[in-house]
Amino acid sequence: VQLVESGGGLVQLGGSLRLSCAASGFTFSSYTMSWHRQAPGKERELVAASGSGGGSTNYADSVKGRFTISRDNAKNTVYLQMNNLKPEDTAVYYCRALGFLGGWSPRINDYWGQGTQVTVSS
């Protein structure tokens, strides 16, 4: 299983970035995909999530109206479009895949990427 994030970098206040997370090794379309971030000295927090069907999304209040999560199940990739970036958005951004496998031995699979740094300068 691999989750590989890309697209991070340094951007000025008000700028935009698009993060990508390329997944492999599991049935991408069956998993809830989400983006999380962790700033120095703070706990990791959920930024945005997309249900397995792609029709349902959820956002942290701090990014609503600025960030958009989307997924391409044909490409096994989830994206995070970030607009109007603020210095408080500076963090390492992580991609997560969460899936429930039923059957005789139900279990939850929880995969994380290595993260990509986003820095917003003022």
Side-chain angles (χ1 to χ4, degrees):
V1 172
Q2 277 195 316
L3 295 173
V4 180
E5 301 102 332
S6 62
L10 175 64
V11 64
Q12 290 188 333
L13 174 68
S16 297
L17 283 175
R18 188 194 195 203
L19 304 183
S20 298
C21 173
S24 62
F26 61 97
T27 307
F28 179 83
S29 59
S30 297
Y31 280 64
T32 293
M33 300 301 298
S34 55
W35 288 95
H36 302 250
R37 66 186 180 188
Q38 188 167 20
K42 295 188 177 181
E43 293 187 353
R44 192 173 296 189
E45 63 174 353
L46 172 69
V47 175
S50 172
S52 57
S56 63
T57 56
N58 187 41
Y59 296 92
D61 288 342
S62 59
V63 306
K64 282 181 181 177
R66 300 188 298 121
F67 291 12
T68 302
I69 187 170
S70 61
R71 62 193 293 163
D72 186 336
N73 287 342
K75 295 183 177 179
N76 289 355
T77 302
V78 61
Y79 306 96
L80 185 67
Q81 178 66 44
M82 305 186 294
N83 299 328
N84 191 21
L85 282 160
K86 306 175 181 180
E88 51 264 42
D89 295 318
T90 295
V92 177
Y93 283 71
Y94 298 90
C95 176
R96 181 188 191 188
L98 187 64
F100 174 76
L101 279 69
W104 293 107
S105 300
R107 66 183 186 275
I108 293 175
N109 287 343
D110 189 0
Y111 307 126
W112 290 84
Q114 293 299 307
T116 184
Q117 176 70 47
V118 171
T119 303
V120 184
S121 65
S122 55

